[in-house]
Amino acid sequence: MREPEHPGPGPAPASVSDTAAVVLDGEGVVVARSERAATLLECSPGRTCVPLLAMLPRAGTDAGPAGHLMTVPGDGDDHAGQKVPLVCTVVRLTARTPGGPGADTQWLVLVTPAETAQEAAERDARRRRTALSQAAAAGIGTSLDVIEMAETLVNLLVPDFADLATVDIAENVLVGDEPPRFDTSGEVRLRRTAAAQSPEISAEDLLAVGEALPAVTDSALMRPLMKGLPVLVPDVAVLHAKLGVDPKALPLFVPSGAHSSVAMPLYARGLILGCVTVWRSQLPSAFGEEDAALLQDVVSRAALGVDNARRYTREHRSVVTLQRSLLPRSALDSAAAETVGVYQPAGGGLGVGGDWFDVIPLPSLRVAFVVGDVVGHGLDATAAMARLRTAVQTLADLDLDPGELLTHLDDLVLGFSEEQMTSESCSERPEGSERSEPAVLGATCLYAVYDPVAGRCAAAAAGHPPPVLLPPDGEPVFLGVTPGPPLGVGGVPFEVTDVGVRPGSMLAFFTDGLVESRGGDIEEGMERLRGSFAGADPRLPLDELSRTVFDGVRPQEPVDDAALLLARIHALSSDQVAEWELEADLSLVARARELVVGQLSDWQLDDLGFVTELVASELVTNAIRYAGGPVGLRLIRDRVLVCEVSDHSSTQPRLRRARETDEGGRGLFLVAQLTDRWGCRFTSTGKTIWTEQPIGGPLAQTAAGR
């Protein structure tokens, strides 16, 4: 007869070879038996097996359907001929054994030595420990998130190894900092980070995830944790006496019904990062030394993973802080526009990259909108973005037109790349190491300048998608900006597109990460963006509108960083601007002074009259004397007072300190001293010198009191 397999539910024997099988009829006569049965029982085929007869159901009763098990003890002989206790399982057969007697009912009895069942339990425990060790080796250390690492650990430990597992982490570690070096167990301050439990264990009163552990006094029981050693508690009753906490707080630490526990510190580089505690309640065997050693091995792996995750958290936080410090404030409001920006790295904020936007105030109440993208992610891309943003701000201060600014930026990127490659070729590198990519490679940028006086926007693009223009009463459209090559190509000019923009219109600048999806067409994404503005309520607050559009357009699985800059356009009214044109006649300087003083009186800015009259007189005189006519004079009133003088000369004025014997050269110096800011910008027809004075500022008050 073949050795039978385990027939149904219930505890399986450790090995089929250790199990004997006997088939009996209703009278207890042996119909068939296995070879193992001959050594355990004195039962021969065709004869009644007296030891097993008492286990058969009485005549006329039903033992239930096939597979229903009933275990009873018995006695048998082992291989040495000694009596050993037996565990017997009786199963009713649904069919008769071929060739057997013609009994209507037959029974299968499986007989196993009791000591083999114990060995099976021990082998099962070893199997569980081996499986846990293998799972820990495969699953721990795959994440760079401290909380996710803790959750992975407790899920590995429950339910096969423990009924309840908790992970408590030092608060410094959770934010990426290195924990202090503790001297006693009473100094350790932890926060519950993860927990997992079997359904049967009662842990309602246990400290919840996210809460800080109450202070525990230093004790001899917990002191091994300070050296990275486990604390094995085979009997939980010991904790009630030696844990050293208020009895009322004990349910926060010890789950109800637990009979044994092991605590193991997350110990790395001599520092305690946290503690892992496991409890058993339903699992019958108490924790032993082998269990503690296994937990120590598993937790030591986890400690290295937690320490790596902590380092990553610190570095990631530093990089994110760096990048966000490089971006302007998310919301700005100026005379030219109200703006709101949104930035999100790839991976839901877990990474950093090279996307950026900027809003740069320019002279004469104008404003520059910048949006750019550096290919790649991580600290290198962020550093490259920082260099580009600084360069754009410096070039914007020169008041260049968008095309000229991008040309200079393109030259800078070429210089960055050459500098990087030169430094790498001159530095010593290990044999076989690869050369890193240039500092800025594949960057794109769009630069636009809006003038609230003229109501026009000039823009140029270096490999960047065009902005969306949403008129106050029309459909959104993409501005027809002529696309230039990405930065770093060199040798190609950038065309400037100049369009009129009505007050109340909205401009949306974005990076391709907002509209680009994995396997999708960027054109479809851009159309989706345009459609989102078509269905949006333009009366919404700008921050709410930007978040609605951003979340609605951003792909579910973004492949790149994304930035969105919305600008609601303002325009200055006609009563905020006054301008005149003067012929090249020095006698008209007096007329210029009269016009300025009269206009300031109409604006009720008489306290600015003295300074502005002097500034206009000096600038108009210099323009007529050195550039000829006609000369333009313009005043602009908003939060500051702007005075502009324009001529047809392209000569840059130079500020210098006149000597005592010089007859001239003091006019521009006086202008610089009396105004808050001044400068010069070149135009298509010449240049414009501008000055700014704060309305109600100290310079005006001082001049008015003279």
Side-chain angles (χ1 to χ4, degrees):
M1 177 177 176
R2 295 179 57 191
E3 300 290 347
E5 297 181 358
H6 188 54
S15 172
V16 173
S17 62
D18 291 329
T19 303
V22 182
V23 178
L24 304 175
D25 63 11
E27 302 299 327
V29 177
V30 177
V31 177
R33 70 176 185 181
S34 66
E35 294 181 3
R36 177 62 171 151
T39 61
L40 291 178
L41 299 167
E42 296 178 356
C43 296
S44 302
R47 299 179 62 183
T48 301
C49 185
V50 177
L52 300 181
L53 180 60
M55 289 182 286
L56 299 182
R58 296 178 182 178
T61 62
D62 191 355
H68 178 75
L69 302 183
M70 177 177 61
T71 59
V72 295
D75 290 320
D77 295 329
D78 63 4
H79 294 284
Q82 298 178 347
K83 294 292 184 178
V84 295
L86 301 176
V87 176
C88 300
T89 304
V90 181
V91 183
R92 182 179 182 179
L93 297 179
T94 58
R96 292 180 297 174
T97 302
D104 292 332
T105 303
Q106 293 184 350
W107 305 93
L108 172 64
V109 182
L110 301 178
V111 184
T112 306
E115 63 178 13
T116 304
Q118 181 178 357
E119 292 173 357
E122 293 177 354
R123 281 194 294 268
D124 184 64
R126 287 194 296 270
R127 178 189 59 79
R128 290 170 181 265
R129 286 193 289 266
T130 302
L132 174 59
S133 180
Q134 292 173 346
I140 293 177
T142 59
S143 173
L144 288 175
D145 182 82
V146 174
I147 296 178
E148 185 177 337
M149 180 83 67
E151 292 173 346
T152 299
L153 181 57
V154 296
N155 290 330
L156 283 174
L157 297 172
V158 176
D160 286 344
F161 183 75
D163 293 307
L164 172 67
T166 60
V167 176
D168 307 312
I169 303 291
E171 294 187 351
N172 303 52
V173 175
L174 291 173
V175 297
D177 295 333
E178 187 160 300
R181 190 175 295 275
F182 302 110
D183 294 326
T184 66
S185 58
E187 298 176 350
V188 181
R189 295 293 182 269
L190 306 176
R191 184 173 294 275
R192 180 132 304 165
T193 307
Q197 68 181 75
S198 299
E200 296 81 5
I201 193 169
S202 176
E204 292 81 5
D205 298 329
L206 208 63
L207 196 71
V209 173
E211 297 184 10
L213 268 69
V216 177
T217 58
D218 184 37
S219 63
L221 176 67
M222 308 304 292
R223 217 161 282 158
L225 297 176
M226 309 306 298
K227 300 179 181 179
L229 301 175
V231 174
L232 173 62
V233 183
D235 185 359
V236 168
V238 176
L239 291 177
H240 294 260
K242 298 185 177 181
L243 189 57
V245 299
D246 187 346
K248 295 181 180 179
L250 200 61
L252 296 175
F253 293 91
V254 182
S256 175
H259 59 70
S260 61
S261 172
V262 181
M264 181 66 206
L266 286 161
Y267 195 74
R269 298 180 294 107
L271 300 173
I272 295 179
L273 309 177
C275 184
V276 179
T277 310
V278 292
W279 307 85
R280 279 183 180 173
S281 173
Q282 300 301 311
L283 294 173
S285 60
F287 286 113
E289 294 293 341
E290 290 186 3
D291 296 314
L294 173 61
L295 184 64
Q296 185 173 14
D297 178 64
V298 171
V299 174
S300 63
R301 295 174 186 268
L304 294 177
V306 169
D307 195 35
N308 289 336
R310 177 197 64 81
R311 294 168 185 252
Y312 172 79
T313 300
R314 182 182 61 186
E315 294 177 4
H316 179 265
R317 183 185 62 186
S318 301
V319 173
V320 170
T321 301
L322 170 64
Q323 184 175 44
R324 296 196 181 279
S325 68
L326 295 173
L327 297 175
R329 297 196 307 271
S330 60
L332 295 171
D333 194 3
S334 65
E338 174 192 0
T339 62
V340 167
V342 181
Y343 167 77
Q344 183 174 320
L350 301 179
V352 291
D355 288 20
W356 93 94
F357 59 84
D358 212 342
V359 180
I360 305 174
L362 297 178
S364 303
L365 306 182
R366 296 168 304 134
V367 64
F369 306 115
V370 191
V371 62
D373 182 7
V374 175
V375 174
H377 305 283
L379 186 58
D380 289 342
T382 302
M385 177 269 287
R387 299 183 75 178
L388 282 184
R389 181 172 183 256
T390 302
V392 170
Q393 290 178 326
T394 302
L395 293 171
D397 193 52
L398 299 177
D399 221 338
L400 306 173
D401 73 74
E404 190 174 356
L405 183 141
L406 290 182
T407 299
H408 284 285
L409 190 62
D410 186 49
D411 292 338
L412 284 174
V413 170
L414 286 172
F416 293 158
S417 300
E418 293 175 359
E419 170 191 330
Q420 180 74 11
M421 289 187 290
T422 300
S423 63
E424 288 182 354
S425 63
C426 295
S427 62
E428 294 184 1
R429 296 189 303 274
E431 185 177 354
S433 63
E434 296 182 1
R435 175 183 297 175
S436 61
E437 295 296 325
V440 181
L441 182 63
T444 66
C445 182
L446 186 142
Y447 185 83
V449 176
Y450 171 68
D451 186 344
V453 177
R456 302 195 67 81
C457 180
H464 206 86
V468 178
L469 172 62
L470 177 61
D473 54 358
E475 292 295 319
V477 295
F478 286 101
L479 285 185
V481 178
T482 303
L487 297 173
V489 175
V492 181
F494 298 95
E495 271 191 56
V496 178
T497 301
D498 192 301
V499 296
V501 182
R502 288 184 291 163
S505 298
M506 190 163 58
L507 286 169
F509 305 88
F510 59 95
T511 59
D512 57 6
L514 182 62
V515 295
E516 188 177 30
S517 60
R518 195 182 306 275
D521 188 356
I522 191 172
E523 298 295 334
E524 295 178 359
M526 293 180 64
E527 185 59 29
R528 189 169 62 250
L529 174 63
R530 193 190 67 81
S532 68
F533 283 109
D537 184 358
R539 296 169 297 180
L540 287 174
L542 207 56
D543 56 346
E544 182 179 345
L545 180 60
S546 64
R547 179 53 61 184
T548 300
V549 171
F550 191 92
D551 294 341
V553 177
R554 183 121 161 101
Q556 293 295 326
E557 297 182 0
V559 297
D560 197 2
D561 309 68
L564 174 67
L565 174 64
L566 295 187
R568 184 168 283 154
I569 298 302
H570 303 324
L572 299 183
S573 60
S574 58
D575 62 349
Q576 292 181 273
V577 182
E579 52 186 334
W580 307 274
E581 187 174 288
L582 305 173
E583 296 297 328
D585 186 348
L586 288 176
S587 64
L588 295 178
V589 174
R591 174 60 179 164
R593 291 196 294 266
E594 293 174 1
L595 292 172
V596 168
V597 172
Q599 186 61 57
L600 294 181
S601 178
D602 293 342
W603 284 343
Q604 298 180 350
L605 297 176
D606 300 273
D607 55 340
L608 298 177
F610 175 79
V611 171
T612 310
E613 178 185 7
L614 178 58
V615 167
S617 176
E618 290 293 336
L619 295 181
V620 170
T621 298
N622 287 344
I624 293 176
R625 178 175 296 169
Y626 300 110
V631 174
L633 174 62
R634 182 166 72 170
L635 297 179
I636 305 173
R637 172 180 60 89
D638 189 67
R639 300 171 187 175
V640 296
L641 177 66
V642 179
C643 178
E644 295 180 344
V645 173
S646 303
D647 58 51
H648 292 281
S649 172
S650 57
T651 302
Q652 173 76 31
R654 184 167 58 90
L655 180 65
R656 64 185 180 90
R657 185 179 295 276
R659 293 172 296 184
E660 293 182 0
T661 56
D662 290 342
E663 295 183 1
R666 297 176 178 84
L668 203 55
F669 178 79
L670 288 175
V671 169
Q673 295 299 310
L674 293 174
T675 59
D676 193 48
R677 292 200 311 158
W678 77 279
C680 175
R681 68 175 180 270
F682 293 101
T683 65
S684 58
T685 58
K687 70 176 182 295
T688 296
I689 301 177
W690 54 269
T691 65
E692 285 184 6
Q693 300 173 68
I695 293 179
L699 287 176
Q701 295 171 2
T702 301
R706 291 178 180 173

